[in-house]
Amino acid sequence: MSKKYTELFNLNIEEAQERLKEVVAQTPLQYIHSFSQHFGANIYLKREDLQVVRSYKLRGAYNMISSLGRNLLDKGVVCASAGNHAQGFAYSCNRLGVHGVVFMPKITPRQKIKQTKMFGNGFVEIILTGDTFDECAETAKEYTWIHNRIFIPPFDDHRVIEGQGTIGAEVLQEFPDQPIDYLFIPVGGGGLCSGVGAYFKDYSPETKIIAVEPEGAPSLKAALKAGHPITLVHIDKFIDGAAVQRVGDLTYDICSRVVDETCLVPEGEVCTTILKLYNENAIVVEPAGALSITALNHYTEQIKGKNVVCIVSGSNNDIDRMQEIKEWSLIFERLKHYFIIRFPQRAHALKDFVNQVLGETDDIVRFEYMKKNEKESGPALVGIELETVEDYNKLLRRMVDYGLDFTVLEPDSDLGRYIV
């Protein structure tokens, strides 16, 4: 069989697979009955969340670092990462006995920082800098040049890409007798999609490759539209493992040839998927790890009766974020709403609101007066959680009928982000 794409981009994925066989776990390709029944398809999850560092990033990091000569390794290695690449990098440094420096954005969850230190086991030091991955990466590259070290990029290098591509080889080895109709791949910088996509286009060209990005950080989609990588001025950082302002140059070149479609999914919808996976399947994933599964909601008709694989990229989720994840999910599902309510300055106004305006199942989950010097009167921020979507219009009607002076506060608006 012709290796058109892997040879074109100098990706020796079989060699990388041999190099990694004693280091990475061959993660399961798991059939998920609940999703399969819901979508009327055969849904399989490639469980990279069960990797030794709880994400696929170990594959690319180890493949690149282990391919360097000892004279280069002795200089030390450097990386920039939002967390998962850092852990794969740290594990590799520890296993190979190499000193490494990890640059991480200031927004990186504490759990990922702690895990990176643990996997490095004294072989890595961590420097927190910048508010985004891209800012962090610039500082890391400057440090690398000044100290004459080797930079290990998270995605834009053929050795990293071919390491990630070993996932594609494993999937096809586990699924030898039936066609895979759809493959959903999460995208941040594009390393995973490049490696797996190139391998699939060589060995399973009939498979449709769907690249899945967060709606708030569509770096690949923007690049494909422009015809070249571009830097997004503003991105939503919530899905930190995929919140990249600029897709890689090499990864763009590969993805532009092997990706059939891109799919953008809202951050709130991803949160709903995280909760669903946990509650129904006891699977814990981070936001980036839920991207590919969330995209199934956008392909309900296309995937019916098909064999579908979703790559679950990681599970490095900080438990402290779960309340935020629930909040995003409820807002996306239209079950949580915020209002600025200007209560009339009379006795029992708040009591009347609770007794006469709220429905039986409506629940006040946040309440605070906006002006601290006007206790018991004046404007208040009120968060209300509903039982069903239909309850929202009923609530609005009662608020209008009661004559309340209120403003609906949209969480996505500038005012909403500031206050909520």
Side-chain angles (χ1 to χ4, degrees):
M1 181 177 290
S2 171
K3 299 180 180 180
K4 176 181 176 182
Y5 294 102
T6 52
E7 288 186 351
L8 175 64
F9 293 103
N10 192 28
L11 303 177
N12 194 329
I13 291 174
E14 291 85 359
E15 185 177 299
Q17 197 171 22
E18 182 67 22
R19 189 179 288 122
L20 294 173
K21 68 179 183 180
E22 302 298 329
V23 180
V24 305
Q26 181 162 332
T27 54
L29 184 65
Q30 182 181 4
Y31 177 81
I32 305 297
H33 178 77
S34 59
F35 283 109
S36 299
Q37 187 175 46
H38 176 76
F39 289 104
N42 297 312
I43 308 295
Y44 296 84
L45 304 185
K46 178 58 172 168
R47 297 288 306 277
E48 283 297 291
D49 57 301
L50 299 178
Q51 195 54 258
V52 61
V53 296
R54 297 194 291 193
S55 88
Y56 72 94
K57 288 286 192 174
L58 171 60
R59 296 174 183 265
Y62 190 89
N63 189 58
M64 181 173 179
I65 296 173
S66 63
S67 70
L68 300 173
R70 195 70 234 181
N71 61 321
L72 294 176
L73 291 177
D74 288 343
K75 295 180 179 180
V77 289
V78 179
C79 84
S81 170
N84 288 341
H85 177 56
Q87 292 178 58
F89 173 91
Y91 186 95
S92 302
C93 288
N94 181 19
R95 184 161 180 125
L96 295 168
V98 178
H99 180 263
V101 180
V102 181
F103 285 79
M104 306 178 85
K106 295 176 183 177
I107 62 168
T108 303
R110 289 192 302 273
Q111 182 261 1
K112 290 187 177 182
I113 297 172
K114 182 179 179 181
Q115 289 294 107
T116 299
K117 290 179 179 177
M118 185 270 289
F119 286 124
N121 194 29
F123 281 93
V124 300
E125 59 180 292
I126 296 173
I127 299 175
L128 300 179
T129 181
D131 292 325
T132 67
F133 163 75
D134 301 83
E135 293 173 2
C136 173
E138 285 302 313
T139 304
K141 290 173 184 176
E142 182 180 355
Y143 176 95
T144 303
W145 181 81
I146 292 173
H147 293 85
N148 193 30
R149 297 194 176 200
I150 305 300
F151 186 70
I152 310 299
F155 46 81
D156 210 21
D157 183 279
H158 75 275
R159 291 162 293 183
V160 173
I161 293 169
E162 68 187 11
Q164 323 302 28
T166 59
I167 294 173
E170 288 182 12
V171 169
L172 289 176
Q173 287 162 7
E174 293 180 64
F175 217 95
D177 301 323
Q178 300 180 59
I180 296 175
D181 300 296
Y182 282 84
L183 176 63
F184 291 85
I185 309 176
V187 174
L192 175 64
C193 193
S194 298
V196 175
Y199 193 87
F200 257 75
K201 284 305 179 185
D202 280 351
Y203 292 97
S204 183
E206 71 280 4
T207 301
K208 280 195 172 295
I209 306 296
I210 312 299
V212 188
E213 294 185 285
E215 193 172 72
S219 59
L220 176 59
K221 188 174 184 68
L224 292 171
K225 183 178 180 180
H228 57 82
I230 62 173
T231 301
L232 301 176
V233 178
H234 301 291
I235 61 171
D236 191 314
K237 304 168 192 172
F238 178 76
I239 302 181
D240 53 296
V244 175
Q245 286 179 276
R246 182 185 177 94
V247 73
D249 293 322
L250 177 57
T251 57
Y252 164 76
D253 200 8
I254 300 174
C255 285
S256 65
R257 300 168 190 247
V258 303
V259 168
D260 293 293
E261 297 177 18
T262 57
C263 177
L264 302 186
V265 293
E267 281 73 5
E269 187 178 12
V270 171
C271 292
T272 296
T273 300
I274 292 172
L275 297 174
K276 186 180 181 69
L277 282 167
Y278 179 77
N279 291 328
E280 297 183 7
N281 304 97
I283 296 175
V284 178
V285 297
E286 62 185 276
L291 279 171
S292 62
I293 304 168
T294 307
L296 297 178
N297 299 325
H298 301 250
Y299 283 80
T300 54
E301 293 302 317
Q302 297 95 314
I303 65 176
K304 281 183 179 177
K306 306 294 185 180
N307 294 322
V308 179
V309 173
C310 298
I311 298 178
V312 181
S313 58
S315 64
N316 286 300
N317 205 0
D318 193 330
I319 192 66
D320 291 341
R321 302 185 74 191
M322 290 309 294
Q323 188 56 44
E324 183 184 13
I325 288 170
K326 182 182 177 182
E327 170 97 351
W328 278 70
S329 174
L330 287 170
I331 290 173
F332 174 78
E333 298 292 334
R334 307 297 295 171
L335 295 177
K336 191 170 188 178
H337 301 269
Y338 288 94
F339 305 89
I340 295 177
I341 300 177
R342 289 161 285 275
F343 287 101
Q345 297 187 23
R346 61 172 175 78
H348 310 304
L350 179 56
K351 181 180 178 181
D352 289 345
F353 171 75
V354 173
N355 292 334
Q356 300 181 36
V357 177
L358 289 186
E360 289 185 4
T361 58
D362 300 345
D363 188 19
I364 295 179
V365 292
R366 183 171 176 182
F367 186 96
E368 58 185 279
Y369 282 104
M370 305 297 289
K371 293 183 179 181
K372 303 305 181 184
N373 61 339
E374 289 187 12
K375 289 285 187 180
E376 308 303 329
S377 65
L381 173 65
V382 183
I384 299 176
E385 190 172 317
L386 308 175
E387 190 170 90
T388 69
V389 174
E390 291 73 22
D391 290 339
Y392 179 62
N393 285 333
K394 296 176 184 177
L395 174 63
L396 286 183
R397 193 176 307 115
R398 289 194 299 270
M399 292 172 75
V400 171
D401 291 345
Y402 186 73
L404 273 180
D405 181 7
F406 69 92
T407 300
V408 176
L409 193 60
E410 295 294 344
D412 289 337
S413 67
D414 290 339
L415 183 60
R417 291 190 185 96
Y418 177 73
I419 295 179
V420 176

